[in-house]
Amino acid sequence: MSLQACSKCGKRAFYYRSYSGEYLCEGCFITSIYENVKNTIRKYNMIAYGDRVVVGVSGGKDSLSLLYILGKFYSKTNEIIAVTLDEGIAGYREEGLEIARDLAQKLGLRHVVYTYKDLYGYPIDEIQGIRGKVSSCTICGVFRRRGLDVAARDLGANVVATAHNLDDVLQSYIITLINGDMERLLSYNPAVEESSAFGLRKVHPFLHIYEKELAMFAMLKGFRLQEAVCPYMNQGIRSEIRTYLNRLEERHPGIKHQLLNSFMKLSSERRAAGSGQFCERCGWPSRGRLCQVCSFIDYLSRQENKKA
Ligand SMILES: [Zn+2]
Ligand SMILES: [Zn+2]
């Protein structure tokens, strides 16, 4: 490790940020993450004075960091509520729940838990025999997004913040591109998704931060990190894209930022405020007659009946 001086304050640097050419000491690195988040929130009007904000906290490094930063800088002007979704995965969720609860408590924030069992009747452990070819992650992802919406509605919040970082967002863009889902590609706004229901704003304050730097931030802050790994995790092509993008970034520092900008230009062209359509069963916004959540619940119950 070099003994280079911090480009900002002259103290001993611990990190070279290749995309900006800066050497940073621990203190200046942490400050730079705070500034990045505050700038992103300001730039896209993610959180306004008085908004009530639900933060999705799984107990992983990214969501803990998000809860910490929002708690630190926004809890005087906004009510910040931590929400953890319990997917119903024995031996996995307990640890994350405890970590999330502890951090919320330390920050003096309210922490609320919702279970898939109560929300949908199908804990993830119980769909394993009936999910057919659909992956757990696909169903879980749809259930998670809706779970946070429901939490926000119940808790009277108008903002849902989640910890998607630059890497997550790029992976999603590329997967959407590969799948040829042009409608989504052209309407996807990774900064702020306005939901046509209930005036909800879904925001991603880590949009401009690399996953690697969030891991460093969490380490420097000494967060207790979850060790258990989801037993159903199947990242498929996502992890290959992740590796590929990291290799590109290594050789061409800053290319991830550039790629994000290009993708965002594409999607700003036609950012429909949702289709204005609603699910005829649950009343939530939907692209078709039935929303994805209701479609999956139907699917699971059909599969279950087939077995019975
Ligand atoms: Zn410094
Ligand atoms: Zn529905």
Side-chain angles (χ1 to χ4, degrees), residues 228-245:
V229 175
C230 177
Y232 308 121
M233 181 149 78
N234 165 24
Q235 290 214 311
I237 200 164
R238 186 174 277 272
S239 67
E240 287 180 51
I241 294 171
R242 177 173 180 259
T243 307
Y244 172 69
L245 287 173

Side-chain angles (χ1 to χ4, degrees), residues 6 8-11 24-25 27-28:
C6 172
K8 301 225 185 253
C9 75
K11 280 194 202 139
L24 295 169
C25 70
C28 291

Side-chain angles (χ1 to χ4, degrees), residues 146 279 282 291 294:
R146 170 67 58 85
C279 171
C282 70
C291 72
C294 291

Side-chain angles (χ1 to χ4, degrees), residues 172-173 175-189 193 263 266-277 286-288:
S172 297
Y173 262 120
I175 289 169
T176 309
L177 187 63
I178 292 170
N179 291 339
D181 188 349
M182 293 306 148
E183 194 51 46
R184 171 144 180 85
L185 191 69
L186 294 175
S187 62
Y188 176 44
N189 181 350
E193 295 173 71
F263 271 128
L266 187 69
S267 58
S268 66
E269 299 285 312
R270 180 171 17 141
R271 214 165 268 160
S275 58
Q277 218 181 322
S286 170
R287 278 161 71 177

